[in-house]
Amino acid sequence: YFMLGGARLVYASSVRLALIKFVSTMSASADVLALASAEFNIDSIAEGTTLTVKWRGKPVFIRHRTAAEVAREAAVPMSALKDAQTDSDRVQNPEWLIVLGICTHLGCVPISGAGDYNGWFCPCHGSHYDVSGRIRKGPAPLNLEIPPYTLSDGKLVVG
């Protein structure tokens, strides 16, 4: 009985060890975890300008909006939008807009400060986004995506 019990214990321990090693290979490596979030200093971004940074290999547009831009975007009626979303739903702080710089039509990178609404324009197929990153004209079906982010003391942490 002791030999049979001992063999079962060794077998069960071996299976457990193999399972732990297999599951641990699926966890994220250090280089992947380093890309999970990125911190940017936004104090130097002048009002009315856009800075493009890279996060997880994707462009992120950081727009320091003027008071006039904030008021203009807040006044847009929902009926004028393809993907209806209020400006206040898209920002944590009305002065700052953070969006992924990827067109929701075919994945192109829109041009900042261009288009009919002075937001972003995708030259590939003619999508126009406003200064809130909302699709206003063209074939793109959705607004520019908002990444997870936090703002505090002149620092932006994306991710």
Side-chain angles (χ1 to χ4, degrees):
Y1 290 111
F2 287 117
M3 281 186 71
L4 190 55
R8 287 182 181 161
L9 178 68
V10 169
Y11 175 73
S13 296
S14 299
V15 169
R16 178 182 166 275
L17 182 62
L19 186 63
I20 288 172
K21 284 189 174 201
F22 175 71
V23 170
S24 68
T25 63
M26 293 183 199
S27 65
S29 61
D31 60 333
V32 171
L33 291 175
L35 291 174
S37 65
E39 184 175 310
F40 305 100
N41 183 1
I42 57 174
D43 284 336
S44 61
I45 303 172
E47 200 171 85
T49 61
T50 302
L51 175 67
T52 303
V53 296
K54 204 174 213 182
W55 172 68
R56 293 185 180 171
K58 300 175 185 175
V60 174
F61 297 145
I62 304 169
R63 175 80 179 182
H64 191 177
R65 304 189 305 173
T66 64
E69 289 173 336
V70 172
R72 185 177 67 233
E73 298 309 322
V76 173
M78 291 296 107
S79 60
L81 302 172
K82 270 188 182 182
D83 185 13
Q85 195 175 22
T86 63
D87 182 61
S88 59
D89 288 341
R90 297 183 54 77
V91 295
Q92 292 177 14
N93 177 346
E95 192 177 338
W96 295 98
L97 175 73
I98 290 82
V99 293
L100 285 182
I102 299 174
C103 180
T104 57
H105 179 234
L106 290 176
C108 306
V109 177
I111 298 169
S112 183
D116 293 350
Y117 302 94
N118 201 28
W120 291 274
F121 172 68
C122 183
C124 301
H125 299 98
S127 293
H128 297 256
Y129 297 91
D130 62 15
V131 182
S132 188
R134 299 175 295 193
I135 183 65
R136 299 292 297 272
K137 182 177 169 185
L142 302 170
N143 299 331
L144 293 176
E145 186 181 343
I146 306 290
Y149 71 93
T150 56
L151 283 169
S152 63
D153 301 327
K155 299 276 186 206
L156 166 70
V157 179
V158 181

